[in-house]
Amino acid sequence: MKSKAKNFIRQRQMRGETVRALVECIAHGIDTKRKIMAETGFSWGSVATITTELLENGVIVEYENGNDRRTSHYRLTRNEYYALGADISE
């Protein structure tokens, strides 16, 4: 039973880390799924699933790039509030 709970917790932590990494990519201008995959090493399925969830929850928005109309481009939603944490311990 403990093992199952630990696995569940670890999976949730990994998912949180994956979401955070994807949001950080978008925040730094890595704006397409293919570029995110190249930067993070995540699978297409992971990037597509998390991108969809972020869109549905209003964290990111899709925008049109005049140079590349076939590819979806993403940016953070400008009217949302974000928190930044820092570890300042030695």
Side-chain angles (χ1 to χ4, degrees), residues 7-87:
N7 285 339
F8 174 77
I9 290 169
R10 181 67 186 138
Q11 287 175 349
R12 298 301 290 178
Q13 288 172 336
M14 288 173 52
R15 177 135 174 98
E17 292 168 6
T18 303
V19 170
R20 187 185 76 239
L22 198 141
V23 169
E24 286 178 3
C25 282
I26 294 171
H28 288 98
I30 301 169
D31 65 347
T32 66
K33 291 177 185 174
R34 191 168 308 281
K35 289 178 185 176
I36 293 167
M37 284 176 47
E39 179 71 22
T40 63
F42 298 152
S43 70
W44 177 262
S46 293
V47 172
T49 299
I50 294 170
T51 301
T52 299
E53 290 175 6
L54 293 173
L55 281 166
E56 289 173 351
N57 288 292
V59 176
I60 63 174
V61 293
E62 197 169 348
Y63 71 94
E64 191 173 304
N65 182 335
N67 298 330
D68 188 2
R69 295 174 189 228
R70 296 177 306 174
T71 302
S72 296
H73 296 265
Y74 305 98
R75 69 170 184 251
L76 294 177
T77 304
R78 293 184 178 158
N79 61 351
E80 295 292 323
Y81 297 95
Y82 297 95
L84 175 65
D87 181 4

